Amino acid sequence: MITNTELEIKGNLFPGKIISFSQNVDKINFTTENGVILQVTILRGSVIRFRYATDNNFENDFSYAISETGVRGYSVLEVEDHNEEYVIITKKLKIHIAKANINVVIKDTADNVICKDDWGFHWEQSYEYGGNIVKMSKNAPQGECYYGLGDKPMHLNLKGKRIENWATDQYAFGKDQDPLYKSVPFYIGMHEERAYGIFFDNTFRTFFDFCHERRNVTSFWAQGGEMNYYFFYGPDMQGVVTRYTDLTGKPELPPLWALGYHQCKWSYYPESKVKEVANKFRELQIPCDAIYLDIDYMEGFRCFTWNKEYFPDPKRMVAELAEDGFKTIVIIDPGIKIDQEYGVFKEALDNDYFCKRADGPYMRGKVWPGECFFPDFTNPEVREWWAGLFKELIDEIGVKGVWNDMNEPAVMEVPGKTFPNDVRHDYDGNPCSHRKAHNIYGTQMARATYEGIKQFGYPKRPFVITRSAYSGAQRYTSSWTGDNIATWEHLWIANIQAQRMSMSGMSFTGSDIGGFAEQPTGELYARWIQLGVFHPFCRTHSSGDHGDQEPWTFGKEVIDVTRKFVELRYQLLPYLYTMFWDYVEQGIPMLKSLVLYDQEDIQTHYRTDEFIFGNQILVCPVQEPNSKGRRMYIPRGNWFNYWTREYVNGGGEQWVDADLDSIPMFIKEGAIIPKYPIQQYVGEKKIDQLTLEVYYKLGDKEVSKVYEDAEDGYDYSKGRYSLRTFTFTGKEQEIIIQQHKNGTFITDYETMEIELIGIPFVIKQIEIDNVTVVLKDVHFDPKKNTIVVPKGFTELHIEA
Ligand code: MIG
């Protein structure tokens, strides 16, 4: 056996040649002369895990990120033993492993190189902490682009950047600032229109370098733990994202109200102020479903308490708000005030639930309540206890959602703004230091919160929102992008972050609309609302330091713009809910950056502003003051301008008008867009009719879907949902709409109003399920081209 030092270059150690090989079903192990083991696990034909040990020694295999319910299985697996290499063959990939140094080359079945090691796996031993700094470097062919990585506030395409993942409280962060609140060590690479993904499942501080240090190399490394990554093959980018999301877990459906508009501020208090804000929404008829209580609702910032002066009877208040359609959401932070009179503190202390320093003292840090200790959310017993604390809030008081903040974890007035490295964590029975637990701490807090709300709210669906997150957090929680600023640049950042989170498996995300720090002008607020209603999570929030940020702060024009766009969101709820269902069922990102939508069009590879909301609505925010519109790229295909109904050919840039009351918005031809009547909150009205906007297309069929269910609860998981699939076929003198329904849920409405947009002929005849109908029996309106039909039709012919 040769020693490591014989394979050392500038402090880096490298694997030697392979001396043995073994296979155990889906796991294939290669061992080198210097004690490196590469274990390749075939999860699916296009999902492969690469895991490296040094000193012949793997750690206990444990991950918080990997979902137990993900798809596993493959139809083909062969290993060939050649002179110079082993080749592992699956249905989608050929993985070449060099006998000389275990370098890996991944090819598709047509022998195109998809991803190839440069130095491949190498490492440095860490004398200070023990273990290794584990490193991987890959060849970066010219023209390769990189996407993903969670909340990074920089150009969507990460080429040329070096990135760090270390969850950090970054108040008033700026463009390109890194690291931020979240740690999602997953990226998508794309070269010659073939996409792949890499998820480096390592919770230590990780780095990614995309051709920043060396022009032809991308690399990633971690300050500890194992080199342990999952490779996903596309070739389409959406396939990469859905496979990654399947592996790290998909969320449950949120209650439909959570997709409504939310209003927040630091802070609404006392009760009269909360009521005043809520009432004003109803008075101005701006729909709103949720109102938030920030830290001041508590007694001295003690979690799970109420300031009785501001909120003498929370149960009554919450009930009164609920009567008016408002769900109350409260903030809960991780810091527990050191106070012997405080029950939560005492209980955690008595049960040994708080994090401790290496030599035994408690982890003590200052946050809002003053000096605090912090529960170790990586301990399953602590999570169970934490979940139990929600009994009163949820079960008795009737709070409907919980907002987890400061869970990076943030600590005030200390360098690094977080726990010191030596703090100990249970890590679900794999005791470790904060170096390893830091990035996962927030997710485990949100997870425990989710369990609590679910337990006490059942059979209602829980709603959680978190600031910090690691891969997999989407199973438990939504998120927001943290403390942004009321500037035009931050509108650009918010757009990027929402798109990037979507392609990183965390679609249920939004920004603080209007900006958290500082105050927006009315114009900026209006432009931000126009973007925000197209983000899966839609909430206005502000620090409150610089004045108000309710929609009515900015005068009549902005009130009208806000109402118009929030109403549009409520009309589009069935469309948005269907997007969410696609995300829940298949891991499909709710927002699609243009590159994700059409990667074969290289024009899309560097676009940032335009995105597809769901599958069929193209949106592009106006990001500059005093605009009457903007130039934007319309992706290939044909579209209808939503506002003017003008037909436009994609595949080029154009000017699009958009005064302050408008945003560039286009509907894909052939699309059938479902709409509900405007409601002031979800469930305000019984939906008595579904509207379908049908956008004409000549030629190829277009499929649209509408998912509906009881809007809350779990009956949908027993098949009590309604999924309508519409197929549109357009000819010169005729259109055909076919409907297929799945699921046993019966929707309230009996009829659908169909509006036909862009049809090139005059309607003379209509057949429903092969029977010709009298035009006035279907309320045909020749001016608007609308008809009303029974919801159960299977085939509609509309002819000249
Ligand atoms: O140190 O709870 O990002 O949304 O309003 C500030 C007060 C603590 C930071 C959050 C923000 C919230 C604020 N919090």
Side-chain angles (χ1 to χ4, degrees):
M1 173 149 175
I2 77 162
T3 63
N4 277 331
T5 40
E6 290 171 60
L7 293 162
E8 179 173 333
I9 305 173
K10 293 188 191 156
N12 283 307
L13 300 164
F14 290 82
K17 59 174 190 292
I18 296 177
I19 53 167
S20 77
F21 151 80
S22 67
Q23 181 176 359
N24 181 2
V25 197
D26 59 344
K27 288 188 168 53
I28 303 155
N29 280 11
F30 304 91
T31 306
T32 72
E33 56 188 346
N34 58 334
V36 173
I37 307 170
L38 162 59
Q39 181 175 76
V40 179
T41 308
I42 314 301
L43 288 89
R44 301 168 68 175
S46 51
V47 181
I48 317 288
R49 179 181 183 191
F50 295 86
R51 190 178 173 210
Y52 296 81
T54 60
D55 300 323
N56 290 296
N57 182 32
F58 279 112
E59 291 174 3
N60 180 36
D61 192 14
F62 173 78
S63 166
Y64 282 114
I66 305 300
S67 153
E68 283 163 16
T69 60
V71 176
R72 301 282 191 281
Y74 48 83
S75 55
V76 177
L77 175 55
E78 283 163 38
V79 186
E80 295 176 352
D81 186 346
H82 297 276
N83 281 344
E84 309 273 306
E85 61 179 12
Y86 293 96
V87 184
I88 302 171
I89 298 170
T90 74
K91 200 163 172 215
K92 297 285 159 80
L93 295 169
K94 292 184 187 168
I95 302 151
H96 297 251
I97 297 172
K99 289 188 174 174
N101 57 7
I102 60 169
N103 254 35
V104 173
V105 179
I106 303 172
K107 298 181 181 173
D108 67 10
T109 49
D111 284 323
N112 296 302
V113 173
I114 304 302
C115 182
K116 177 175 180 286
D117 281 357
D118 173 58
W119 285 2
F121 172 60
H122 53 294
W123 73 99
E124 247 177 87
Q125 289 173 347
S126 168
Y127 181 68
E128 195 181 355
Y129 298 105
N132 299 322
I133 296 161
V134 290
K135 309 179 183 184
M136 171 61 62
S137 68
K138 303 264 182 200
N139 187 266
Q142 214 192 343
E144 191 162 65
C145 298
Y146 305 95
Y147 306 92
L149 280 156
D151 62 350
K152 306 303 177 190
M154 51 192 76
H155 197 291
L156 275 180
N157 187 339
L158 298 168
K159 182 152 196 162
K161 308 269 191 222
R162 174 179 286 194
I163 279 157
E164 181 179 347
N165 291 310
W166 183 254
T168 305
D169 176 3
Q170 290 289 16
Y171 170 78
F173 62 90
K175 180 165 183 269
D176 290 318
Q177 184 149 4
D178 188 42
L180 288 191
Y181 306 90
K182 299 176 183 72
S183 171
V184 185
F186 163 67
Y187 74 91
I188 302 152
M190 189 169 64
H191 180 230
E192 287 171 347
E193 285 80 67
R194 281 185 285 270
Y196 64 90
I198 286 185
F199 170 42
F200 181 21
D201 187 11
N202 182 313
T203 55
F204 284 83
R205 192 189 293 260
T206 53
F207 295 86
F208 287 79
D209 186 301
F210 299 106
C211 312
H212 173 84
E213 185 175 320
R214 284 194 286 156
R215 189 161 50 86
N216 299 321
V217 177
T218 63
S219 54
F220 49 93
W221 64 99
Q223 289 189 335
E226 283 181 349
M227 176 46 60
N228 168 34
Y229 74 90
Y230 294 80
F231 177 87
F232 311 87
Y233 181 51
D236 59 303
M237 199 166 153
Q238 183 165 303
V240 173
V241 176
T242 57
R243 278 167 212 130
Y244 163 78
T245 309
D246 182 72
L247 182 75
T248 57
K250 294 172 287 202
E252 297 173 347
L253 276 173
L256 186 60
W257 64 259
L259 300 183
Y261 172 76
H262 301 212
Q263 182 67 36
C264 188
K265 180 185 178 161
W266 180 14
S267 287
Y268 290 132
Y269 69 88
E271 173 178 338
S272 58
K273 180 71 193 178
V274 178
K275 291 270 187 56
E276 182 192 313
V277 172
N279 290 339
K280 192 84 180 169
F281 274 97
R282 298 299 180 242
E283 182 194 319
L284 293 173
Q285 294 279 288
I286 298 171
C288 183
D289 257 283
I291 192 152
Y292 284 63
L293 303 181
D294 205 328
I295 49 177
D296 301 284
Y297 80 90
M298 296 182 261
E299 179 61 50
F301 307 118
R302 288 171 191 81
C303 292
F304 307 100
T305 68
W306 289 80
N307 178 315
K308 285 293 160 89
E309 192 187 318
Y310 299 152
F311 297 99
D313 188 355
K315 184 175 176 170
R316 179 190 39 74
M317 177 188 76
V318 168
E320 285 166 6
L321 286 166
E323 235 162 77
D324 207 7
F326 284 94
K327 291 78 190 169
T328 306
I329 296 174
V330 300
I331 197 167
I332 290 283
D333 287 353
I336 300 298
K337 188 177 177 70
I338 301 175
D339 171 1
Q340 300 294 336
E341 312 287 288
Y342 168 37
V344 174
F345 173 80
K346 277 294 287 168
E347 219 174 283
L349 195 71
D350 292 348
N351 291 296
D352 202 13
Y353 290 159
F354 288 125
C355 294
K356 289 182 186 149
R357 305 293 298 267
D359 296 325
Y362 285 106
M363 164 59 220
R364 177 190 291 264
K366 215 182 135 199
V367 265
W368 289 105
E371 297 266 299
C372 284
F373 292 166
F374 301 82
D376 181 10
F377 295 107
T378 72
N379 179 340
E381 205 185 316
V382 174
R383 287 198 300 271
E384 214 186 310
W385 163 74
W386 183 261
L389 296 174
F390 288 92
K391 184 171 192 334
E392 188 184 334
L393 274 177
I394 306 296
D395 191 26
E396 286 161 37
I397 298 176
V399 162
K400 286 289 180 297
V402 173
W403 172 23
N404 283 165
D405 186 20
M406 304 290 277
N407 54 355
E408 290 70 30
V411 179
M412 292 166 172
E413 297 165 20
V414 295
K417 302 192 268 193
T418 190
F419 295 1
N421 279 335
D422 69 89
V423 169
R424 304 294 299 164
H425 294 272
D426 180 67
Y427 214 93
D428 279 66
N430 302 273
C432 67
S433 78
H434 195 63
R435 295 171 68 240
K436 180 171 174 177
H438 176 82
N439 281 335
I440 198 75
Y441 186 85
T443 300
Q444 296 314 304
M445 178 190 186
R447 174 186 180 183
T449 302
Y450 158 87
E451 297 292 352
I453 308 180
K454 189 161 176 176
Q455 184 183 337
F456 299 112
Y458 196 83
K460 299 287 190 209
R461 303 175 195 163
F463 175 71
V464 183
I465 175 162
T466 186
R467 194 170 69 176
S468 187
Y470 181 79
S471 298
Q474 69 271 9
R475 304 205 289 271
Y476 318 111
T477 180
S478 65
S479 69
W480 90 104
T481 57
D483 297 342
N484 59 2
I485 314 175
T487 62
W488 289 93
E489 183 171 75
H490 265 272
L491 183 59
W492 180 90
I493 293 174
N495 182 16
I496 296 277
Q497 288 185 306
Q499 291 181 53
R500 194 195 294 293
M501 288 293 281
S502 256
M503 64 169 80
S504 304
M506 294 185 187
S507 284
F508 200 6
T509 301
S511 65
D512 284 353
I513 294 174
F516 179 74
E518 299 176 23
Q519 205 183 22
T521 59
E523 185 190 10
L524 176 59
Y525 183 79
R527 292 303 193 187
W528 210 316
I529 270 283
Q530 289 170 349
L531 172 65
V533 297
F534 294 106
H535 286 167
F537 178 67
C538 178
R539 179 184 76 165
T540 293
H541 182 40
S542 68
S543 68
D545 290 349
H546 307 266
D548 293 337
Q549 203 157 303
E550 293 77 38
W552 48 87
T553 315
F554 309 101
K556 172 138 185 356
E557 193 183 10
V558 176
I559 292 174
D560 291 344
V561 172
T562 305
R563 184 188 302 109
K564 174 175 171 178
F565 281 87
V566 176
E567 283 181 352
L568 177 61
R569 183 176 176 98
Y570 278 73
Q571 288 181 297
L572 286 173
L573 277 175
Y575 180 86
L576 179 58
Y577 202 38
T578 304
M579 274 158 68
F580 215 116
W581 178 79
D582 272 341
Y583 172 41
V584 165
E585 282 291 302
Q586 303 177 62
I588 296 176
M590 293 174 70
L591 304 184
K592 296 172 185 73
S593 303
L594 288 200
V595 59
L596 201 147
Y597 178 74
D598 185 6
Q599 71 198 46
E600 277 160 27
D601 173 7
I602 53 167
Q603 295 289 322
T604 66
H605 297 190
Y606 287 87
R607 303 300 308 188
T608 51
D609 297 358
E610 307 85 355
F611 64 94
I612 311 288
F613 175 66
N615 292 318
Q616 296 163 319
I617 302 181
L618 167 68
V619 178
C620 184
V622 174
Q623 295 168 159
E624 281 173 44
N626 303 314
S627 300
K628 297 260 165 231
R630 61 164 292 162
R631 282 189 74 76
M632 66 177 279
Y633 186 71
I634 315 261
R636 298 188 300 179
N638 299 312
W639 304 81
F640 285 88
N641 184 316
Y642 176 78
W643 308 106
T644 64
R645 306 212 148 158
E646 214 176 321
Y647 186 70
V648 302
N649 304 115
E653 269 205 29
Q654 27 178 290
W655 171 267
V656 180
D657 288 330
D659 265 321
L660 190 59
D661 64 347
S662 184
I663 185 173
M665 180 180 170
F666 295 83
I667 313 290
K668 196 177 173 196
E669 63 170 351
I672 296 184
I673 306 290
K675 280 185 170 175
Y676 280 165
I678 292 163
Q679 304 178 78
Q680 295 309 305
Y681 56 89
V682 167
E684 184 202 20
K685 293 181 185 153
K686 194 164 152 175
I687 307 299
D688 55 5
Q689 189 161 286
L690 181 72
T691 300
L692 299 178
E693 289 178 358
V694 177
Y695 292 84
Y696 180 80
K697 175 185 185 181
L698 181 64
D700 295 345
K701 295 185 169 160
E702 175 79 16
V703 173
S704 304
K705 287 178 288 183
V706 184
Y707 174 87
E708 295 167 284
D709 62 14
E711 304 183 351
D712 204 339
Y714 288 90
D715 280 358
Y716 76 95
S717 62
K718 298 171 208 129
R720 282 198 276 287
Y721 59 85
S722 157
L723 176 65
R724 302 177 189 279
T725 306
F726 296 104
T727 308
F728 177 91
T729 312
K731 303 179 184 170
E732 262 151 35
Q733 305 273 324
E734 181 185 16
I735 63 175
I736 304 164
I737 300 170
Q738 290 158 307
Q739 174 177 214
H740 176 80
K741 186 177 174 283
N742 281 101
T744 57
F745 182 76
I746 315 262
T747 53
D748 281 341
Y749 55 85
E750 291 298 337
T751 56
M752 295 180 188
E753 184 189 51
I754 297 184
E755 184 182 3
L756 301 154
I757 295 150
I759 45 169
F761 56 85
V762 177
I763 297 169
K764 296 265 173 58
Q765 182 167 324
I766 295 174
E767 273 174 38
I768 303 178
D769 298 341
N770 292 321
V771 180
T772 305
V773 296
V774 180
L775 292 184
K776 80 169 185 340
D777 285 356
V778 289
H779 305 276
F780 174 56
D781 178 339
K783 281 207 203 79
K784 293 195 282 182
N785 266 349
T786 53
I787 56 173
V788 176
V789 300
K791 67 174 174 181
F793 76 86
T794 56
E795 193 163 309
L796 211 64
H797 285 254
I798 297 165
E799 294 160 33

